[in-house]
């Protein structure tokens, strides 16, 4: 009975406040009517006193004289809207109710249950408002400890907090849709724009803003990934309402991008689905922010690559490509700008030719951006909007591969060749890839026997440059030669059904025979001879069918040559490439671990594409409900448990550990255009950079590329000095002991 009386008292207080608000809003109505009547009387006096001037106004400014009671009502409505907007700002997550009198009423589970039952059974508006007030108090729990006396009601236990959060997140979307007379699910931006002119919106928009604003506030306070995932999953159903609140929409986009880039477990997928739903429903209102934000978040996550981050970056790339497909015309505009930035950075490297200019190109974030746009062009190669980007992207990748033609950058060149082969296969255009691969075979590092021993196995997918000792090992030579064979076979297999295959493969086969004669490594000679045999067999295969054709080379029917065989994959090179792919897959699996962590938590994602379905499983909602019901977390509790200094120290340790691991994987060192064994130097003149082209890439300084920071160097020097002192003191003590003996 006590809980019911408290709930009734809270309802009465809310109704009294509403009556006061209605009295305050009725005052401007009477004032506006009085002003309107006075204005009408002034116009009548003007017509009597100065008829000539009144006629002049009728001819030149009729709107000033056409003044009716409808205009009075419109003015009153606008005043009401302004008043309601001010109230909504007070309801928002960053404001506190200062006019409330202090009280010691505690919200209990019985009060929450009574509100929930009355909403479910009768749909009482007073219970909805009471629950939203309790939801606001729950979301702001622990924010301002000094202002607790100004709050009428407060929450003491985590069970009350969990009940409020579960019910509001699960049921409030349906309640708001009933109040606003909207369909139970779905909808687009146009439905909200039409709704904003209705009476229902003027009555209940403050409830919508309170729900979205307080949910955003508590999202920023949460630390558990499953709890955040459940909250975002439920808020996705109400994302349609963000069309009416642009400031909240921008904040939600930022929060979702943060969780997508840094979250663990299933949180990146949930955050991405939330962003994708926003783009589909709201369209142009959030497309630009989402495209720019997700590209910048992708760049922040792909500064370095190792075996652990490889599949995580592939997952992020798949997300970006999937989001670009929501609106291809606007995606083309953004992609054109970002690809142009890459081209301008490459142009500066070719013109200036300094270490700093080369370093901007030969770093992971530049190469990963090329990988991203290669995936986007290949995914939408059949679309007229994205296909024009294939040519400039191909030119940039070819320029990157030829920028520093040394053996130490073979991994980077092979990566570029792999991208070019993907673009050629998806667009059906010929790209001269064979010259990039055959030039590698003519370098002396792959022609002579290894002088550095067997060496460690090299994963060419996780490095851009190798050291000079690694260059002379047998493992590196084998990895390079096998990769050249695989990529060259991929390139030739794409055109193994062309009428001109014999002419296309003539120069590669001649240069491969020259390599077999010049190389001193027998296992490489066997590998090349096998590839040459497959090329010759494919030439005979196409020449046999070419004898019976009647069309000219420039005829369109040449494109349908061997179409049935192409669908069946019956050419000798196609069968050989299938064997090579299986061998490469086995080699990569042996180099990598069986599972890859995504984010910081142990949740495995592969290179699979995201599911296209929008409806979440009921099991996911049940898991989120169990998280809320089983946890004792309250907003602000995490920050109180740990002092801020300890958290900062832990963050610094994590950052330094990540940088050390990443720098061990790949560091851009001195660039030498001649042979790797020659000790040459390049000019260190400052490069003239175009700021507009490197906006996305200017966030990092060149100091990040150095293997050891100055602080670490000083620490190491101090440790060395201490070690020397200890050794000297120990030696002196031993001498004294000997003398004493």
């Amino acid at each position: 009975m006590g809980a019911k009386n408290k709930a009734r008292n809270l309802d009465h207080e809310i109704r009294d406040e509403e009556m006061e608000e209605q009295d305050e809003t009725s005052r401007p109505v009477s004032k506006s009517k009085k002003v309107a009547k006075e204005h009408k009387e002034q116009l009548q006096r003007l017509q009597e006193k100065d008829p000539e001037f009144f006629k002049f106004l009728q001819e030149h400014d009729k709107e000033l004289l056409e003044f009716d009671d409808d205009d009075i009502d419109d003015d009153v409505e606008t005043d009401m809207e302004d008043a309601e907007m001010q109230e909504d700002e007070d309801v928002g997550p960053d404001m506190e109710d200062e006019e409330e009198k202090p009280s010691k009423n505690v919200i209990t589970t019985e009060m929450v249950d009574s509100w929930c039952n009355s909403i479910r059974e009768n749909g009482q508006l007073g219970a909805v408002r009471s629950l939203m007030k309790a939801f606001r108090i729950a979301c702001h729990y622990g924010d301002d400890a000094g202002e607790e006396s100004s709050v009428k009601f407060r929450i003491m236990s985590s069970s009350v907090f969990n009940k409020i959060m579960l019910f509001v997140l699960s049921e409030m979307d349906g309640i708001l849709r009933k109040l606003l007379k909207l369909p139970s699910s779905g909808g687009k931006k146009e439905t909200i724009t039409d709704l904003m002119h209705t009476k229902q919106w003027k009555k209940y928009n403050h409830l919508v803003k309170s729900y979205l604003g307080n949910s955003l506030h508590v999202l920023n306070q949460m630390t558990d990934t499953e709890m955040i995932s459940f909250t975002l999953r439920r808020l996705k159903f109400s994302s349609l309402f963000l069309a009416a609140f642009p400031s909240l929409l921008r904040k939600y986009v930022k929060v979702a991008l943060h969780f997508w880039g840094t979250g663990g477990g299933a949180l990146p997928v949930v955050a991405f689905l939330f962003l994708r739903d926003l783009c589909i429903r709201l369209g142009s209102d959030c497309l630009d922010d989402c495209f720019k934000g997700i590209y910048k978040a992708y760049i922040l996550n792909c500064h370095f690559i190792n075996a652990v981050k490889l599949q995580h970056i592939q997952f992020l790339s798949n997300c970006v490509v999937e989001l670009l497909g929501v609106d291809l015309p606007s995606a083309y505009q953004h992609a054109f700008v970002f690809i142009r930035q890459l081209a301008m950075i490459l142009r500066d490297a070719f013109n200036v030719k300094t270490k700093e200019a080369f370093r901007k190109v030969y770093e992971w974030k530049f190469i990963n951006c090329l990988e991203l746009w290669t995936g986007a062009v290949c995914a939408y190669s059949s679309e007229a909007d994205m296909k024009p980007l294939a040519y400039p992207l191909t030119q940039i990748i070819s320029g990157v591969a030829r920028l520093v033609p040394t053996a130490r950058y073979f991994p980077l060149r092979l990566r570029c060749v792999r991208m070019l082969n993907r673009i050629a296969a998806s667009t059906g255009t010929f790209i001269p890839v064979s010259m990039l691969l055959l030039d590698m075979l003519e370098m002396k590092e792959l022609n002579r026997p290894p002088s550095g021993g067997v060496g460690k196995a090299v994963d060419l997918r996780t490095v851009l440059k190798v050291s000079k000792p690694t260059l002379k090992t047998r493992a590196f030579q084998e990895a390079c030669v096998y990769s050249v064979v695989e990529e060259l076979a991929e390139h030739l297999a794409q055109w193994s059904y062309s009428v001109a295959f014999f002419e296309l493969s003539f120069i590669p086969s001649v240069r491969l025979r020259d390599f077999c004669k010049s190389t001193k490594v027998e296992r490489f000679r066997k590998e090349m001879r096998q590839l040459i045999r497959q090329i010759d067999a494919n030439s005979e295969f196409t020449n046999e069918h070419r004898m019976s054709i009647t069309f000219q080379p420039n005829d369109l029917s040449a494109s349908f040559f061997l179409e049935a065989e192409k669908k069946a994959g019956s050419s000798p090179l196609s069968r050989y490439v299938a064997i090579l792919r299986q061998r490469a897959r086995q080699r990569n699996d042996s180099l990598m671990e069986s599972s890859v962590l995504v984010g910081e938590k142990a949740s495995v994602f592969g290179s699979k594409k995201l599911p296209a379905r929008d409806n979440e499983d009921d099991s996911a909602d049940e898991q989120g409900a169990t998280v809320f019901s089983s946890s004792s977390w309250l907003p602000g509790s995490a920050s109180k448990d740990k002092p801020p200094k300890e958290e900062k120290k832990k963050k610094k340790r994590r950052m330094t550990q990540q940088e050390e691991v990443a720098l061990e994987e790949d560091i851009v060192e001195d660039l030498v255009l001649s042979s790797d064994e020659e000790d040459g130097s390049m000019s260190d003149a400052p490069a003239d950079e175009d700021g507009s082209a490197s906006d996305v890439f200017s966030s990092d300084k060149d100091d990040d590329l150095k293997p050891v920071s100055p602080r670490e160097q000083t620490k190491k020097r101090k440790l060395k000095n201490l070690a020397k002192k200890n050794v000297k003191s120990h030696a002196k003590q031993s001498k004294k002991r000997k003398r004493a003996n």
Side-chain angles (χ1 to χ4, degrees):
M1 292 296 289
K4 291 183 179 179
N5 292 329
K6 287 183 180 180
R8 289 173 184 172
N9 293 331
L10 182 58
D11 293 338
H12 287 307
E13 290 176 3
I14 293 169
R15 288 172 186 170
D16 294 338
E17 291 175 0
E18 291 174 359
M19 292 296 291
E20 292 176 0
E21 291 171 359
Q22 290 177 1
D23 294 338
E24 290 176 358
T25 54
S26 64
R27 291 170 188 170
V29 175
S30 59
K31 289 181 181 179
S32 59
K33 287 184 178 181
K34 289 179 181 179
V35 173
K37 288 179 181 179
E38 290 177 0
H39 185 61
K40 266 192 168 184
E41 292 174 357
Q42 288 175 0
L43 290 177
Q44 290 176 0
R45 293 171 190 169
L46 180 65
Q47 187 177 6
E48 294 173 358
K49 290 181 179 181
D50 196 350
E52 293 180 0
F53 182 65
F54 192 80
K55 287 181 182 180
F56 177 79
L57 290 176
Q58 284 181 342
E59 292 175 359
H60 294 85
D61 197 353
K62 291 184 178 180
E63 295 179 357
L64 183 62
L65 301 176
E66 292 176 355
F67 189 80
D68 299 328
D69 294 334
D70 297 334
D71 297 332
I72 300 171
D73 297 335
D74 294 337
D75 294 336
V76 172
E77 288 179 0
T78 54
D79 294 338
M80 293 281 289
E81 289 176 3
D82 295 336
E84 287 179 0
M85 289 299 292
Q86 290 177 359
E87 290 174 3
D88 292 339
E89 291 177 359
D90 295 336
V91 175
D94 299 328
M95 302 293 293
E96 293 288 340
D97 296 332
E98 298 179 355
E99 297 179 357
E100 294 178 349
K101 297 179 181 179
S103 177
K104 294 183 179 180
N105 292 327
V106 179
I107 299 175
T108 60
T109 55
E110 290 81 6
M111 294 169 66
V112 177
D113 290 336
S114 64
W115 291 332
C116 296
N117 292 330
S118 61
I119 291 170
R120 284 171 180 163
E121 295 173 0
N122 305 321
Q124 290 182 0
L125 185 59
V128 174
R129 289 174 176 168
S130 302
L131 188 64
M132 288 305 297
K133 197 177 186 71
F135 178 67
R136 182 180 181 280
I137 295 168
C139 293
H140 288 263
Y141 180 86
D143 283 357
D144 296 321
E147 295 183 2
E148 287 182 357
S149 59
S150 63
V151 182
K152 285 185 178 181
F153 294 91
R154 53 198 177 95
I155 294 172
M156 291 297 292
S157 63
S158 59
S159 60
V160 176
F161 172 81
N162 293 334
K163 276 197 173 186
I164 294 171
M165 295 298 295
L166 273 176
F167 184 83
V168 173
L169 291 174
S170 302
E171 305 292 336
M172 189 51 63
D173 178 70
I175 295 167
L176 293 175
R177 285 176 180 270
K178 286 181 181 178
L179 292 174
L180 297 171
K181 298 181 180 179
L182 290 176
S184 59
S185 62
K188 289 195 175 182
K189 181 179 68 174
E190 289 77 11
T191 59
I192 296 297
T193 53
D194 296 337
L195 181 68
M196 290 173 68
H197 300 288
T198 60
K199 293 181 180 179
Q200 286 83 9
W201 179 257
K202 293 175 183 178
K203 287 182 181 178
Y204 307 119
N205 64 347
H206 63 281
L207 293 176
V208 179
K209 189 172 183 180
S210 176
Y211 171 58
L212 295 174
N214 293 320
S215 299
L216 177 65
H217 183 80
V218 79
L219 266 178
N220 290 321
Q221 303 295 322
M222 288 180 180
T223 55
D224 187 67
T225 55
E226 293 183 0
M227 198 178 289
I228 298 170
S229 300
F230 174 76
T231 306
L232 272 180
R233 196 178 290 114
R234 300 308 308 174
L235 285 171
K236 187 168 77 73
F237 295 104
S238 304
S239 61
L240 178 67
F241 296 116
L242 289 172
F245 310 106
S247 60
L248 281 177
L249 175 61
R250 288 191 293 270
K251 291 177 182 178
Y252 267 101
V253 169
K254 288 181 182 179
V255 169
L257 287 171
H258 172 72
F259 290 141
W260 174 75
T262 61
L267 183 55
V269 180
V270 176
F272 171 73
L273 291 175
F274 180 82
L275 286 170
R276 181 170 166 268
D277 192 71
L278 277 179
C279 292
I280 291 172
R281 297 191 185 281
L282 304 186
S284 59
D285 288 351
C286 65
L287 276 175
D288 292 339
D289 292 337
C290 287
F291 286 165
K292 291 177 184 177
I294 201 169
Y295 184 61
K296 289 179 181 178
Y298 173 79
I299 291 174
L300 290 174
N301 281 277
C302 65
H303 284 252
F304 305 101
I305 280 187
N306 50 31
V308 177
K309 290 188 69 177
L310 189 63
Q311 286 191 348
H312 177 52
I313 291 175
Q314 183 62 39
F315 163 77
L316 297 178
S317 176
N318 289 338
C319 290
V320 178
V321 173
E322 182 78 16
L323 192 66
L324 292 173
V326 174
D327 190 355
L328 288 177
S330 61
Y332 168 78
Q333 295 176 358
H334 288 279
F336 180 83
V337 172
F338 294 137
I339 292 173
R340 184 175 177 271
Q341 289 177 356
L342 300 176
M344 294 179 74
I345 295 171
L346 180 63
R347 182 195 63 184
D348 293 341
F350 271 109
N351 292 337
V352 181
K353 293 183 179 179
T354 60
K355 293 180 182 179
E356 301 301 325
F358 286 137
R359 190 175 285 123
K360 288 183 179 180
V361 176
Y362 281 5
E363 60 181 356
W364 273 116
K365 59 182 177 182
F366 190 94
I367 302 301
N368 282 322
C369 287
L370 290 179
E371 291 271 7
L372 171 66
W373 297 119
T374 300
V377 169
C378 294
Y380 306 110
S381 59
S382 59
E383 302 291 338
D385 295 312
M386 299 293 286
K387 195 170 184 180
L389 296 173
Y391 179 74
L393 187 62
T394 302
Q395 295 295 319
I396 295 170
I397 296 170
S398 301
V400 171
R402 291 185 173 91
L403 183 60
V404 183
T406 59
R408 295 179 68 184
Y409 286 96
F410 277 174
L412 186 142
R413 177 173 283 211
L414 288 168
R415 202 175 187 92
C416 292
V417 168
R418 205 171 292 117
M419 286 188 274
L420 293 175
N421 276 336
R422 288 176 61 192
I423 295 173
S426 61
T427 58
T429 55
F430 175 76
I431 300 175
V433 173
S434 58
M435 295 300 108
L436 291 172
L437 296 168
L438 296 170
D439 291 343
M440 293 172 61
L441 296 177
E442 292 180 355
M443 292 187 182
K444 57 185 178 182
E445 286 81 6
L446 297 183
N447 282 317
R448 59 190 179 189
S451 59
V454 178
K456 293 181 180 179
V458 181
D459 190 358
L460 298 178
R461 301 171 302 165
T462 59
V463 292
L464 296 179
K465 178 186 177 181
V466 295
S467 61
K468 290 181 180 179
T470 306
L471 195 65
K472 300 174 183 179
T473 59
R474 174 179 174 178
F476 175 74
Q477 287 185 354
E478 287 182 352
C480 286
V481 173
Y482 292 156
S483 298
V484 167
V485 171
E486 291 163 5
E487 297 303 325
L488 186 59
E490 278 286 349
H491 168 65
L492 295 174
Q494 293 174 8
W495 305 102
S496 60
Y497 304 96
S498 174
V499 184
F501 178 79
F502 176 76
E503 290 79 9
L504 187 147
S505 62
F506 179 74
I507 294 177
S509 61
V510 170
R511 294 184 68 175
L512 288 174
R513 287 186 174 91
D514 293 340
F515 176 78
C516 290
K517 293 177 183 178
S518 62
T519 186
K520 299 177 182 179
V521 183
E522 183 62 28
R523 62 185 179 279
F524 296 162
R525 192 180 291 114
K526 289 181 180 179
E527 193 73 23
M528 292 302 168
R529 283 175 180 171
Q530 188 176 4
L531 178 59
I532 292 168
R533 285 195 295 270
Q534 297 298 328
I535 293 172
D536 293 339
N538 204 96
S539 298
E540 293 177 1
F541 171 73
T542 54
N543 288 336
E544 287 178 1
H545 292 83
R546 203 163 79 169
M547 297 295 292
S548 60
I549 63 173
T550 57
F551 53 82
Q552 298 294 325
N554 59 353
D555 195 353
L556 291 175
S557 57
S559 60
F560 299 102
F561 179 70
L562 297 178
E563 188 176 7
E565 288 81 358
K566 186 176 182 178
K567 291 179 180 178
S570 58
S571 69
L573 267 176
S574 296
R575 294 194 295 267
Y576 180 61
V577 165
I579 298 171
L580 291 179
R581 286 175 183 168
Q582 186 176 1
R583 185 181 72 179
R585 196 179 299 112
Q586 291 175 356
R587 186 172 68 250
N588 293 332
D589 291 341
S590 64
L591 292 172
M592 287 189 64
E593 297 177 354
S594 59
S595 62
V596 178
L597 299 178
V598 175
E600 298 178 356
K601 303 292 182 181
S603 177
V604 179
F605 288 93
S607 58
K608 299 178 181 179
K609 289 191 175 181
L610 291 167
R613 60 190 178 85
D614 293 334
N615 297 326
E616 286 80 16
D617 296 331
D618 295 334
S619 59
D621 292 339
E622 291 176 359
Q623 290 176 1
T626 54
V627 169
F628 269 106
S629 59
S630 61
S631 69
S632 60
W633 178 83
L634 285 171
S637 59
S639 60
K640 293 178 181 178
D641 294 339
K642 296 181 181 179
K645 291 183 180 179
E646 293 182 1
E647 291 182 354
K648 289 181 180 179
K649 288 180 181 179
K650 287 185 177 181
K651 285 183 180 178
K652 285 183 180 179
R653 289 174 188 171
R654 289 175 186 171
M655 292 294 291
T656 52
Q657 288 175 0
Q658 289 177 358
E659 288 179 358
E660 287 175 0
V661 172
L663 288 165
E664 287 176 0
E665 294 293 331
D666 180 63
I667 301 166
V668 179
E669 298 175 0
D670 295 339
L671 304 174
V672 182
L673 288 173
S674 59
S675 178
D676 292 311
E677 295 179 355
E678 298 175 0
D679 296 330
S681 63
M682 304 176 67
S683 61
D684 292 332
D688 296 332
E689 299 173 2
D690 189 358
S692 62
S694 58
D695 289 339
V696 182
F697 298 91
S698 61
S699 59
D700 292 338
K701 298 181 180 178
D702 297 331
D703 296 335
D704 296 336
L705 295 169
K706 295 180 182 178
V708 182
S709 62
R711 290 182 180 178
E712 292 176 355
Q713 289 179 359
T714 54
K715 286 181 181 179
K716 288 182 179 179
R717 288 173 187 170
K718 289 180 181 179
L719 290 172
K720 287 181 181 179
N721 293 330
L722 289 172
K724 288 179 182 178
K725 289 180 181 179
N726 291 331
V727 170
K728 289 180 181 179
S729 62
H730 184 70
K732 288 179 181 179
Q733 289 176 1
S734 62
K735 286 180 181 179
K736 289 179 180 179
R737 288 171 185 171
K738 288 179 181 178
R739 289 174 185 174
N741 294 329

